[in-house]
């Protein structure tokens, strides 16, 4: 009886000590997204300061995605084997250092900082989401989709903060502020208690071979990865082309930041509504249709001109992008639980495909923009996105079935490692 009482007290104390973990993780996703998007309204000023071309702008935007693409899968495997807590702390500290590098008044330091930020971004968006997924009461909880809402708030705040601070205090100011916030979060995570021994565990595998083997049988993973690739491509192209077009139309950095922030407000509302709908929205059908709508949302940029059309296109693209980002993670982690795959490995795959779209689409769009203007450049994201969405919708009936009927949901906390009977990694 004494042991039971002590165990109960210990569990209560652990839950009490961990009560700030979820808010801190949401704050991390906010800071990561804000740091990524803060550069968007600064591009015209960076062009003038360093004599950059649209292709060079594309390199700045694509550099974080390139690093994220390289690190996401390894980060997921490390999270499953070593524990998400310790890797997240290290990546948050790296994010702070990367923001400081971007504040340096040199183009080489700016590019290096963007690459380092991409590494940190890819890790925290993999290990941080895996850490949160492991803290949920059930695998594939729709509450996991709220990470997209937190990131959306950061995407809203980033351009506005970046543009306003740059106009008032200089180009380095936005990055110095983000570096301070990331450093504070790294300290906060270090003060969080490590994982404790759990009574009930489920063994998960971190094998890439096993992941490849189950893709055709688990539509939630494949669909989540595909539609996030579309989301990355749409985000990269709009972040590259729209600020330049608005600048040519007479917008200041602050005005461009406010335009992006206002459009992203739709994202926040839609993402919050999708989270509230829960499992009714967390389905392969919703994800596939949202991916198609997202790809089609850039068509106005390919055929229309004027600032009204640009701002309308931003607003038009935010709603389906919010659905894609919000449903993909719980959809894929629920499928991962059925396939006994580690959350980190699957989340790493999702982040990797998103980063692939974010890297490739702006590079191609930037080259086409130099050759023939922005109208053809927008089609770089539209055509492949439509094709992928139609393939998802028509390839097999199973790929458009609701994920909720694909099999039982594994509930309860999970632990990975050499032996399921061992305690979770302490860090």
């Amino acid at each position: 009886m004494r042991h039971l009482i002590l165990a109960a007290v210990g569990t209560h104390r652990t839950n009490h000590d961990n009560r700030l973990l979820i808010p801190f993780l949401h704050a991390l996703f906010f800071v990561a997204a804000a740091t990524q998007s803060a550069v968007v309204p600064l591009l015209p000023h960076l062009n003038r300061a360093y004599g950059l071309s649209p292709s060079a702008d594309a390199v700045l935007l694509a550099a974080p995605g390139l690093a994220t693409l390289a690190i996401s899968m390894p980060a997921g495997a490390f999270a499953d084997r070593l524990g998400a807590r310790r890797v997240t702390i290290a990546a948050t500290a790296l994010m702070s250092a990367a923001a400081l590098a971007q504040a340096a008044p040199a183009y080489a330091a700016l590019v290096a900082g963007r690459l380092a930020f991409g590494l940190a971004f890819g890790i925290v968006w993999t290990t941080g989401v895996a850490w949160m997924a492991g803290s949920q009461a059930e695998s594939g909880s729709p509450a996991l989709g709220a990470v997209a809402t937190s990131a959306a708030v950061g995407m809203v705040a980033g351009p506005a903060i970046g543009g306003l601070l740059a106009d008032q205090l200089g180009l380095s100011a936005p990055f110095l502020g983000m570096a301070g916030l990331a450093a504070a979060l790294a300290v906060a995570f270090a003060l969080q208690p490590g994982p404790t021994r759990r009574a009930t565990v489920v063994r998960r595998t971190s094998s890439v071979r096993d992941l490849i083997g189950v893709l055709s049988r688990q539509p939630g993973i494949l669909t989540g990865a595909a539609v996030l690739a579309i989301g990355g491509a749409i985000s990269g192209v709009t972040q590259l082309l729209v600020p330049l077009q608005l600048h040519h139309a007479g917008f200041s950095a602050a005005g461009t930041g406010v335009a992006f922030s206002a459009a992203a407000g739709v994202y926040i509302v839609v993402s919050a509504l999708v989270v509230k709908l829960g499992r009714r929205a967390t389905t392969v059908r919703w994800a596939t249709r949202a991916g198609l709508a997202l790809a089609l949302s850039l068509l106005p940029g390919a055929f229309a001109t004027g600032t009204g059309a640009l701002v309308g296109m931003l607003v038009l693209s935010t709603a389906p992008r919010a659905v894609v980002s919000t449903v993909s993670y719980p959809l894929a982690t629920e499928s991962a639980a059925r396939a006994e795959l580690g959350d980190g490995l699957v989340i790493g795959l999702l982040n990797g495909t998103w980063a692939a779209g974010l890297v490739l689409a702006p590079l191609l769009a930037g080259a086409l923009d130099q050759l023939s203007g922005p109208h053809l450049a927008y089609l770089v994201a539209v055509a492949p996105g439509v094709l992928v969405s139609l393939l998802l919708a028509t390839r097999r009936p199973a790929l458009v079935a609701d994920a909720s009927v694909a099999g039982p949901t594994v509930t309860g906390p999970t632990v990975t490692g050499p032996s399921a009977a061992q305690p979770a990694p302490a860090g």
Side-chain angles (χ1 to χ4, degrees), residues 288 386-396 399:
T288 302
V386 170
L387 178 61
V388 169
S389 299
L390 293 178
L391 287 175
L392 288 174
T394 61
R395 181 172 177 265
R396 282 174 47 185
L399 287 180

Side-chain angles (χ1 to χ4, degrees), residues 18-29 132 150 185 189:
N18 279 314
R19 70 190 186 280
L20 293 178
L21 174 61
I22 300 301
F24 281 151
L25 286 172
H26 280 295
L28 175 62
F29 302 137
M132 184 178 291
S150 300
L185 283 171
F189 287 133

Side-chain angles (χ1 to χ4, degrees), residues 363-391:
L363 291 176
L364 293 174
L368 287 175
D369 184 38
Q370 282 188 282
L371 291 174
S372 59
H375 300 296
L376 181 61
Y378 281 112
L379 294 178
V380 168
V382 174
V386 170
L387 178 61
V388 169
S389 299
L390 293 178
L391 287 175

Side-chain angles (χ1 to χ4, degrees), residues 103-200:
Y107 181 69
L110 177 61
V111 174
R114 295 290 288 173
L115 285 169
F117 170 76
L119 290 174
F121 186 88
I123 295 171
V124 300
W125 259 100
T126 300
T127 63
V129 175
W131 195 358
M132 184 178 291
S135 70
Q136 302 293 330
E138 57 178 347
S139 297
S141 170
L144 190 62
V147 300
T149 310
S150 300
V153 177
M155 293 296 290
V156 167
I161 293 173
L164 293 172
L165 288 181
D167 282 347
Q168 298 297 320
L169 302 174
L171 291 176
S172 297
F175 302 110
L176 291 174
M178 296 302 175
L181 291 175
L185 283 171
V187 173
F189 287 133
L191 296 176
Q192 291 296 298
T196 58
R197 183 184 297 271
R198 289 160 175 165
T200 303

Side-chain angles (χ1 to χ4, degrees), residues 60 68 72 84 119 138 143 145 245 290-291 314 321 327 331 371 377 384 410 420-421:
L60 285 180
T68 299
S72 292
L119 290 174
E138 57 178 347
Q245 291 180 276
L314 283 176
R321 185 157 54 89
V327 305
L331 190 64
L371 291 174
V410 179

Side-chain angles (χ1 to χ4, degrees), residues 73 76 80 126 211 221 329 332-333 335-336 341-351:
M73 289 290 288
D80 287 335
T126 300
L211 171 62
I221 299 175
Y329 291 102
T333 53
S335 291
L341 291 171
D343 286 331
L345 185 68
V346 171
I347 293 168
L349 172 67
L350 266 60
N351 290 338

Side-chain angles (χ1 to χ4, degrees), residues 25-110:
L25 286 172
H26 280 295
L28 175 62
F29 302 137
F30 166 86
V31 171
T35 305
Q36 182 199 25
S37 63
V39 74
V40 172
L42 309 184
L43 287 176
H45 296 274
L46 294 171
N47 286 346
R48 184 170 60 252
Y50 300 117
L52 304 181
S53 66
S55 294
D57 288 337
V59 170
L60 285 180
L61 290 175
L66 181 62
T68 299
L69 175 62
I71 200 62
S72 292
M73 289 290 288
F78 281 128
D80 287 335
R81 289 181 170 89
L82 303 178
R85 175 180 177 271
R86 117 181 5 148
V87 186
T88 303
I89 293 171
T92 306
L94 175 61
M95 184 180 297
S96 177
L100 284 176
Q102 293 177 72
Y107 181 69
L110 177 61

